Amino acid sequence: MAQRIAKQDFSEWYNSIIYKTEMVDQSPTRGCAVIRPYGYALWEAIQKEVDTQIKKVGVQNAYFPLLIPESFLKKEAEHIEGFAPELAVVTHGGGKELEEPYVVRPTSETIIYDSFSRWIKSYRDLPLKINQWANVIRWEMRSRPFLRTTEFLWQEGHTAHAGKEEALIFAKQILEIYRQLAEDFLAIPVITSEKTANERFPGAETTLTFEGLMQDGRALQMGTSHLLALSFPASFDVKFQDEAGAMQTPWCTSWAVTTRLIGAIVMVHGDTRGLVMPPKIAPIQVVIVPIGKVEQQPAVQAQAETIKADLEKAGIRVHIDNREERPGAKFFHWEERGVPLRIELGARDMESQQVVMVDRLADENAKQTVPWATLTQTVIDQLASLHTRLFDRAAQFRQDHWFKAETLADIAAKIEDAPGIYQTGWCGKTDCELELKTVKASVRCLWKTPEHKNCFACGAASTGDILVAKSY
Amino acid sequence: MAQRIAKQDFSEWYNSIIYKTEMVDQSPTRGCAVIRPYGYALWEAIQKEVDTQIKKVGVQNAYFPLLIPESFLKKEAEHIEGFAPELAVVTHGGGKELEEPYVVRPTSETIIYDSFSRWIKSYRDLPLKINQWANVIRWEMRSRPFLRTTEFLWQEGHTAHAGKEEALIFAKQILEIYRQLAEDFLAIPVITSEKTANERFPGAETTLTFEGLMQDGRALQMGTSHLLALSFPASFDVKFQDEAGAMQTPWCTSWAVTTRLIGAIVMVHGDTRGLVMPPKIAPIQVVIVPIGKVEQQPAVQAQAETIKADLEKAGIRVHIDNREERPGAKFFHWEERGVPLRIELGARDMESQQVVMVDRLADENAKQTVPWATLTQTVIDQLASLHTRLFDRAAQFRQDHWFKAETLADIAAKIEDAPGIYQTGWCGKTDCELELKTVKASVRCLWKTPEHKNCFACGAASTGDILVAKSY
């Protein structure tokens, strides 16, 4: 029976399984990993889903230069302070030392606002909703594939709106698109809420986040949506004439999800048998393993192809494994790669017109017999059920690891042995927030339902609950 | 009546139209342009088409680091010699000077072969077919949006095969995919052939190319597919055990198309009225212009929405222009942007249940009346016809600008006034090829049907015809 991963083994398990299943490879570039096809396929599926949803709310894709003049980053004081330690700098180009160095984009607000300053003249040009699919670089000393790498892939959305309320509503609309992506597509339950001032994006007035809880009890920030401070677009002279003829600065949002989501899929759903792919994003949803040698079983082969064609007609991603390997080795291979459903088909099944079907979450020996006639519908139902079971299991795990704490001492006494989400009260002061460093934890977000009267750190009146956790 | 662009006005026309139609914008990064949504939409369509076709021949997408250790490029002598003058170099990262600088990838053979050296062990691992969608940097002193920019977007495919013949067949298969993309999707007739040794990719044994002829008589290399010299993978220790147990170096291919294709679309099809979008790639295929004020014409609005929904059901991309502008200004706007078909719908048309339809290639006054009942089919037919007319027009232009020449003097006498493709004989020597610099032209490719007995430069026996042109 497959087990969840014990927290003391988690880090090693993660680092091992992503290499074994050929999702990533090492690279000669410090802090960077190669994303192999089995990992990249997940990113392609995420791209397709996010791209479809953001286009529905009027976002258009564009592309801005990778290299940003160093002086641009310095125009917004908070922004450069936040990113300076992480920059990669191009000092030479075309065989010469450059007069002004370029930084490789760590994010693109600065160069995009330069364009916005030309594209936006009047209220009629608003809202302006732009997104780019791109690579970014933030220098990392301690990297881990997908979760924290010097280079990563993302989409970065940038919008400008005439009013603050409208901009904030849009930032929340994007957060809702992200929530649906996580919960309905990746089967990962997430908390959506707001960051504290200390945890905000450098230059933002509000940072919204969605956070998942990994199997080792650590939280993962899976993506963010920001309302920028008005000073940020103003630094780049972005302004518009309103209906009354007055010049105003637009309110801007920016928002992103990254290849980090691939790490979340691995960390939330995996087990001691390997990866477990959420059905909607699984690169292969059904693997068919014909039993017996290919050349000796033409009828089995033909039937496998028929089943594949039928399933593909229903939009299901199917692979037939005809490698020269024993069936047991093939079963192990695809289980480790987390393929949701396996279909076994041998000579015996030809007469009875059925297959054996095994579900990735079932016990190893729980084999189900399914007649050919009802196979497509059974597969559709089973994939839907698997999505629900994965989501429910992760939601149950989160509920089991959601604790209430009154004081820092309460948290300190428990969080090492029982990592998870600690809900507590907070006075709103950053000094108190920073006390969490003593337990190597942080505020993941504010929490809407207050249940605590006092700040966990100073004991003063709480202004609202917060969720505290160790995090990636 | 719209005219083709005169060659003396061509460069100015190009630089003006791509800004006016909001395909690109200037950027603060030297040699780079911002690709705006109306330009980027073309790249998205190209991506989708190429991605679909290469996956059908077994290619899988992956992602490799942007930054390549400088030492990697130096492992292959020809390769570094070719790219050294164009490199952007990262010397500082994370606030420190790096021990070894990184170059921003100008192409990724070196870092990909490093991975191949680990992924390929046996003949069973071959063929290996990998592609990545990425940005690359090649420092440009004189840039022009889409055609030649310091940063550009592309796909780069990299494959490894057990045998040379198999690898060359695959490189040709990709060239055929590219030809179909150009001719069947972009309506651009292309010449597919082989480059001379002097024009090969640095490190390639064979470079295949597809070349289009622009309206000013200059050729554009639209993409290439290479068979790499065996020494290239060997420099990275890529090897496999063959069926007999012997260690061998695999034959590798690499191939790419870039955002340059967007420039080709503009330069081949545009006219004095602006862009002309080939129907299959047009971001908007049909624009509906309701005549009269939105709020005063609820029935016209409702009918416009019905027509849009009907056309969209047939897979057609439709936009309704309800801006507060005069109809004439709207017509001009969409003509300039090259939208293939315009539908006008006013109060008069409601009773007669018809629309007025105008085709982008027709005379300005050639309006066609189409009943609602047959509109969808008429639009489908008209779009197909427009594709054919665009292709045929470009093919006719190429035929009219394809000249035969015996000597360099023949070419020199004519090529300035009548730029185009000059077919001539060649002895095969690079020294003779380089004589073409005197007329600011180059060999675009070898030509399969020999018609000349002597080399255009030295007069020695020709070993085969070549196609000579001025080029981008």
Side-chain angles (χ1 to χ4, degrees):
Chain A
M1 175 76 188
Q3 304 284 331
R4 308 311 308 274
I5 317 297
K7 75 175 163 43
Q8 65 274 19
D9 305 329
F10 196 72
S11 175
E12 199 187 318
W13 172 84
Y14 178 83
N15 287 334
S16 161
I17 198 69
I18 56 175
Y19 284 95
K20 272 202 286 192
T21 56
E22 300 183 341
M23 297 182 83
V24 293
D25 192 18
Q26 55 183 287
S27 97
T29 307
R30 197 189 151 89
C32 294
V34 174
I35 306 181
R36 300 185 71 168
Y38 201 63
Y40 196 80
L42 299 177
W43 184 238
E44 288 183 289
I46 291 168
Q47 283 189 304
K48 196 173 163 191
E49 179 66 15
V50 172
D51 204 65
T52 302
Q53 299 307 329
I54 64 179
K55 280 177 176 162
K56 281 187 194 161
V57 295
V59 176
Q60 292 185 298
N61 287 329
Y63 189 75
F64 297 82
L66 170 74
L67 303 182
I68 303 179
E70 204 174 37
S71 58
F72 269 55
L73 262 80
K74 292 180 178 160
K75 287 192 188 182
E76 218 289 331
E78 249 186 66
H79 193 65
I80 184 68
E81 197 191 315
F83 283 109
E86 302 179 357
L87 297 176
V89 188
V90 172
T91 56
H92 291 71
K96 285 187 188 157
E97 184 165 0
L98 301 171
E99 285 180 28
E100 183 187 349
Y102 289 107
V103 302
V104 182
R105 64 178 160 230
T107 179
S108 302
E109 278 79 4
T110 58
I111 198 160
I112 289 180
Y113 291 169
D114 177 64
S115 280
F116 278 14
S117 73
R118 287 185 299 277
W119 299 352
I120 298 171
K121 306 275 183 217
S122 138
Y123 69 93
R124 286 191 204 87
D125 302 319
L126 299 176
L128 178 62
K129 299 174 185 170
I130 297 289
N131 176 68
Q132 78 173 350
W133 291 97
N135 52 345
V136 288
I137 285 202
R138 299 179 185 175
W139 215 262
E140 285 292 347
M141 285 305 139
R142 280 173 302 175
S143 69
R144 182 177 286 199
F146 300 125
L147 301 178
R148 194 171 282 282
T149 46
T150 288
E151 182 184 6
F152 57 88
L153 304 180
W154 75 351
Q155 58 67 219
E156 50 176 319
H158 298 272
T159 68
H161 306 258
K164 181 175 184 176
E165 195 187 343
E166 185 198 324
L168 190 57
I169 286 170
F170 190 77
K172 286 178 180 171
Q173 194 174 3
I174 291 294
L175 191 70
E176 171 59 14
I177 286 175
Y178 288 165
R179 185 197 65 72
Q180 287 175 18
L181 170 77
E183 301 200 330
D184 302 345
F185 200 65
L186 310 181
I188 299 176
V190 291
I191 295 160
T192 56
S193 187
E194 193 179 332
K195 288 281 187 192
T196 63
N198 177 55
E199 295 278 347
R200 268 180 215 143
F201 176 76
E205 181 166 312
T206 304
T207 287
L208 304 170
T209 181
F210 66 113
E211 307 261 332
L213 189 63
M214 306 299 107
Q215 266 182 75
D216 61 349
R218 289 167 77 184
L220 182 76
Q221 177 181 305
M222 291 172 60
T224 46
S225 181
H226 317 289
L227 176 70
L228 279 297
L230 216 44
S231 58
F232 206 148
S235 312
F236 288 85
D237 214 22
V238 184
K239 49 180 191 272
F240 69 98
Q241 191 165 37
D242 67 16
E243 288 191 62
M247 295 311 292
Q248 292 207 34
T249 304
W251 286 88
C252 291
T253 77
S254 69
W255 30 277
V257 289
T258 77
T259 33
R260 167 173 264 208
L261 291 180
I262 301 170
I265 294 167
V266 174
M267 293 198 296
V268 168
H269 298 305
D271 63 26
T272 49
R273 273 151 70 196
L275 303 173
V276 179
M277 290 287 178
K280 291 188 193 171
I281 200 179
I284 299 170
Q285 295 173 305
V286 176
V287 62
I288 301 175
V289 181
I291 310 298
K293 292 220 168 194
V294 174
E295 53 283 6
Q296 292 164 6
Q297 310 264 24
V300 169
Q301 280 299 315
Q303 185 56 30
E305 291 292 347
T306 302
I307 291 172
K308 179 171 190 262
D310 285 348
L311 291 173
E312 284 178 343
K313 227 176 282 168
I316 295 162
R317 296 182 288 277
V318 186
H319 175 71
I320 300 176
D321 184 355
N322 272 329
R323 291 174 303 154
E324 287 181 27
E325 294 273 1
R326 285 172 303 103
K330 292 184 184 182
F331 298 168
F332 178 83
H333 179 89
W334 297 113
E335 272 173 10
E336 193 170 59
R337 276 164 176 71
V339 173
L341 295 178
R342 177 177 84 231
I343 287 174
E344 304 168 16
L345 180 74
R348 279 183 320 179
D349 303 310
M350 294 307 292
E351 210 164 314
S352 53
Q353 306 220 334
Q354 60 187 31
V355 300
V356 167
M357 191 167 88
V358 183
D359 174 305
R360 179 59 181 80
L361 282 194
D363 284 354
E364 269 130 308
N365 301 318
K367 297 192 172 190
Q368 183 184 351
T369 302
V370 186
W372 296 350
T374 57
L375 183 56
T376 300
Q377 192 54 49
T378 306
V379 165
I380 291 170
D381 295 345
Q382 197 84 6
L383 290 174
S385 142
L386 194 48
H387 173 90
T388 306
R389 282 177 285 146
L390 284 174
F391 182 87
D392 289 348
R393 180 170 78 168
Q396 184 65 49
F397 178 87
R398 186 176 70 184
Q399 193 179 311
D400 295 343
H401 293 78
W402 187 307
F403 311 110
K404 311 280 165 79
E406 295 294 330
T407 65
L408 182 59
D410 286 352
I411 299 172
K414 205 171 158 190
I415 197 165
E416 281 303 324
D417 289 335
I421 297 165
Y422 285 77
Q423 183 181 341
T424 189
W426 180 46
C427 65
K429 292 206 185 83
T430 301
D431 281 351
C432 286
E433 179 178 0
L434 295 176
E435 291 282 312
L436 289 168
K437 286 191 178 177
T438 60
V439 294
K440 292 178 186 159
S442 57
V443 180
R444 303 317 303 156
C445 55
L446 308 180
W447 188 236
K448 39 207 134 190
T449 332
E451 295 179 40
H452 294 85
K453 291 197 171 144
N454 302 100
C455 174
F456 73 97
C458 69
S462 172
T463 56
D465 275 21
I466 51 175
L467 301 184
V468 168
K470 289 174 175 291
S471 74
Y472 280 91
Chain B
M1 175 77 187
Q3 303 285 331
R4 307 312 307 274
I5 317 297
K7 75 177 163 44
Q8 64 273 18
D9 305 330
F10 196 72
S11 175
E12 199 186 319
W13 172 83
Y14 179 84
N15 287 334
S16 161
I17 197 70
I18 56 175
Y19 284 95
K20 272 203 285 193
T21 57
E22 300 183 343
M23 296 182 84
V24 292
D25 193 18
Q26 55 183 286
S27 98
T29 307
R30 195 188 153 89
C32 294
V34 174
I35 306 181
R36 300 185 71 168
Y38 201 61
Y40 196 81
L42 298 178
W43 184 238
E44 287 183 289
I46 291 168
Q47 283 188 303
K48 196 173 163 192
E49 178 65 15
V50 172
D51 204 66
T52 302
Q53 299 307 330
I54 64 179
K55 280 177 176 161
K56 281 188 193 159
V57 296
V59 175
Q60 292 186 299
N61 287 330
Y63 189 76
F64 297 83
L66 170 74
L67 303 182
I68 303 179
E70 205 174 37
S71 58
F72 270 55
L73 262 80
K74 292 181 178 159
K75 286 192 189 183
E76 218 289 331
E78 250 186 64
H79 192 66
I80 184 69
E81 198 191 316
F83 284 108
E86 302 179 357
L87 297 177
V89 187
V90 173
T91 55
H92 291 71
K96 284 187 189 156
E97 184 165 359
L98 301 171
E99 284 179 28
E100 183 188 349
Y102 289 106
V103 302
V104 182
R105 64 177 161 230
T107 180
S108 302
E109 278 78 3
T110 58
I111 198 161
I112 289 180
Y113 291 168
D114 177 64
S115 280
F116 278 13
S117 73
R118 287 184 299 278
W119 300 353
I120 299 170
K121 306 275 182 218
S122 138
Y123 68 93
R124 285 190 203 86
D125 301 320
L126 300 175
L128 178 62
K129 299 174 184 169
I130 297 289
N131 177 69
Q132 77 173 349
W133 291 96
N135 52 344
V136 287
I137 285 203
R138 299 179 186 176
W139 215 263
E140 284 292 347
M141 285 304 140
R142 280 172 302 175
S143 69
R144 182 177 286 198
F146 300 125
L147 300 178
R148 194 171 282 283
T149 46
T150 288
E151 182 183 7
F152 56 88
L153 304 180
W154 76 352
Q155 58 67 218
E156 50 176 318
H158 298 272
T159 68
H161 306 259
K164 181 176 183 176
E165 195 187 341
E166 185 198 324
L168 190 57
I169 286 170
F170 191 78
K172 286 178 180 169
Q173 193 174 5
I174 292 293
L175 191 70
E176 171 59 15
I177 286 175
Y178 288 164
R179 186 197 64 74
Q180 287 175 18
L181 170 77
E183 301 201 330
D184 302 344
F185 200 66
L186 310 181
I188 299 176
V190 291
I191 296 159
T192 57
S193 188
E194 194 180 330
K195 288 282 187 191
T196 62
N198 176 55
E199 295 279 346
R200 268 181 214 141
F201 176 76
E205 181 166 312
T206 303
T207 287
L208 305 171
T209 181
F210 66 113
E211 308 261 331
L213 188 64
M214 306 298 107
Q215 264 182 77
D216 61 349
R218 289 167 77 185
L220 182 76
Q221 176 181 306
M222 291 171 61
T224 45
S225 181
H226 316 289
L227 176 70
L228 279 297
L230 216 45
S231 58
F232 206 150
S235 313
F236 288 85
D237 214 21
V238 183
K239 49 180 190 272
F240 70 99
Q241 192 166 37
D242 68 16
E243 289 192 59
M247 295 311 292
Q248 292 207 35
T249 304
W251 286 88
C252 291
T253 78
S254 69
W255 30 278
V257 289
T258 77
T259 33
R260 168 174 264 208
L261 291 179
I262 301 171
I265 294 168
V266 174
M267 293 199 296
V268 168
H269 298 306
D271 63 26
T272 49
R273 274 151 70 195
L275 303 173
V276 179
M277 290 287 179
K280 291 189 193 171
I281 201 178
I284 299 170
Q285 294 173 305
V286 176
V287 62
I288 301 175
V289 181
I291 310 298
K293 292 221 168 195
V294 174
E295 54 283 7
Q296 291 164 6
Q297 309 265 23
V300 169
Q301 280 300 313
Q303 184 56 30
E305 291 292 348
T306 301
I307 291 172
K308 179 170 190 262
D310 285 349
L311 291 173
E312 284 178 343
K313 228 176 283 168
I316 295 161
R317 296 181 288 277
V318 186
H319 175 71
I320 299 177
D321 183 356
N322 271 329
R323 291 173 304 153
E324 286 182 27
E325 294 274 1
R326 285 172 305 102
K330 292 184 185 184
F331 298 168
F332 178 83
H333 179 89
W334 297 112
E335 272 173 10
E336 193 169 60
R337 276 164 176 70
V339 173
L341 295 178
R342 178 177 83 230
I343 287 175
E344 305 169 15
L345 180 74
R348 278 183 319 177
D349 302 309
M350 295 307 292
E351 210 164 312
S352 53
Q353 307 220 335
Q354 60 188 30
V355 301
V356 167
M357 190 166 88
V358 183
D359 174 305
R360 179 60 179 80
L361 282 194
D363 284 354
E364 269 130 308
N365 300 318
K367 297 191 173 191
Q368 182 184 353
T369 302
V370 185
W372 296 349
T374 57
L375 183 57
T376 300
Q377 191 55 49
T378 306
V379 165
I380 291 170
D381 295 344
Q382 197 85 5
L383 290 174
S385 142
L386 195 47
H387 172 89
T388 305
R389 281 177 284 147
L390 285 174
F391 182 86
D392 289 349
R393 180 169 77 167
Q396 183 64 51
F397 179 87
R398 186 176 70 184
Q399 192 178 312
D400 295 343
H401 293 78
W402 187 307
F403 310 110
K404 310 280 165 79
E406 296 294 330
T407 64
L408 183 59
D410 286 352
I411 299 172
K414 206 171 159 189
I415 198 166
E416 281 302 323
D417 289 334
I421 296 165
Y422 285 76
Q423 183 180 341
T424 189
W426 180 46
C427 65
K429 292 205 187 79
T430 300
D431 281 351
C432 286
E433 179 179 359
L434 294 176
E435 290 283 312
L436 289 168
K437 287 192 178 176
T438 60
V439 294
K440 293 180 185 158
S442 57
V443 180
R444 304 317 303 156
C445 54
L446 308 181
W447 188 238
K448 39 208 136 190
T449 333
E451 296 179 40
H452 294 84
K453 291 198 172 142
N454 302 100
C455 174
F456 73 96
C458 69
S462 172
T463 56
D465 276 21
I466 51 175
L467 301 183
V468 168
K470 290 174 174 291
S471 74
Y472 281 90

